[in-house]
Amino acid sequence: MVVSLTAATVLLATAIVVPLLCILLLPARKRGAALSQRGGDGWRRLLPPSPRGLPLLGHLHLLGALPHRALRSLAMAHGPVLLLRLGRVPVVLVSSAVAAEEVMRVHDLVFASRPRNAMAERLLYGIRGVASAP
């Protein structure tokens, strides 16, 4: 009876651990490519280049003690516009004057709005400050 209980425990642990390891170790690009295509029309979501990140931390481990220098080196390696994930939050980093001008002037309506946040409304005087204004 003890042998069958141990075998069942090993089988159950294997059935849980192996799929979790496959999900965590599968490269994000392969998972993202499957999620970014829509039907048969060939449309793909275009995202800026991004360095490899960790599953839960994203790119936080790349910032280090001097984040401004780390961001500069990332921009030099991956181009003036790149995508970083700080935890679960995706962040688009724009590091050249030409790209920043295009974001601020050409695509200003796309980047101007922020989602409403109940906590920010309570803490920041009804979202009337410069940092939290819509």
Side-chain angles (χ1 to χ4, degrees), residues 24-88:
L24 291 176
L25 297 178
L26 184 66
R29 291 184 182 151
K30 289 182 181 178
R31 283 185 297 174
L35 295 175
S36 64
Q37 290 185 352
R38 183 186 286 181
D41 60 356
W43 176 81
R44 277 182 70 105
R45 180 176 53 172
L46 298 176
L47 294 175
S50 177
R52 289 189 61 103
L54 297 176
L56 296 176
L57 293 177
H59 300 104
L60 284 173
H61 68 286
L62 297 175
L63 296 180
L66 301 172
H68 60 288
R69 290 186 181 175
L71 292 174
R72 183 189 63 186
S73 65
L74 284 172
M76 290 175 68
H78 296 284
V81 178
L82 67 131
L83 176 70
L84 297 176
R85 296 197 184 275
L86 304 179
R88 293 184 57 201

